Amino acid sequence: MVRKGTKPYCILHRKCPHCHEGEFMVTRDPYDLSRAGDLLDGCSVCHRKFETEPGFYYGGMYVSYASAVALGVVIYVATGTIAPSTTETTRLWWVLGGLVALTPVLYAWSKIIWACLFIDYKGVDPLPGEDPKWVKR
Ligand SMILES: [Zn+2]
């Protein structure tokens, strides 16, 4: 349904943003809290590094913040729709609980979303003239 080589494919499958084949993160389980959000140094398939520049993934905070706000609004509206007699305080507790429960997921997904937004698909093989510093051999 989502074609390889597209940004939605990269995000949904959480694969290397360069080739969409190798793994991106150390673990695929966001609730493995000791390693959640840890990135591999590079792709095991195309051998490109994931850190394009120092501090690149700090930008993932913007994605995480926007995702948390969107999720909070969805939980708030869903709580009010499913149980209209709930109080404002109860709805906010549901929002808080949902955000706490899903924080590891938002954290892990924010990095892959950020990477896929700014790193273009290149395929497995090095491109002609590609900067050799990218390629780990
Ligand atoms: Zn790759």
Side-chain angles (χ1 to χ4, degrees), residues 74-92:
V74 167
I75 292 172
Y76 183 86
V77 170
T79 307
T81 304
I82 293 170
S85 61
T86 56
T87 65
E88 192 85 3
T89 305
T90 303
R91 291 181 198 170
L92 292 177

Side-chain angles (χ1 to χ4, degrees), residues 16-23 43-48 50 123-124:
C16 165
H18 299 287
C19 70
H20 296 181
E21 289 188 17
E23 291 297 325
C43 178
S44 62
V45 176
C46 71
H47 305 288
R48 292 180 179 100
F50 293 144
V124 173

Side-chain angles (χ1 to χ4, degrees), residues 104-120:
V105 175
L106 293 176
Y107 180 61
W109 280 75
S110 66
K111 288 189 173 185
I112 188 66
I113 290 171
W114 187 255
C116 292
L117 284 177
F118 291 100
I119 299 174
D120 292 329

Side-chain angles (χ1 to χ4, degrees), residues 57-71:
Y57 290 99
Y58 286 132
M61 290 188 301
Y62 298 111
V63 174
S64 180
Y65 177 74
S67 302
V69 169
L71 179 65

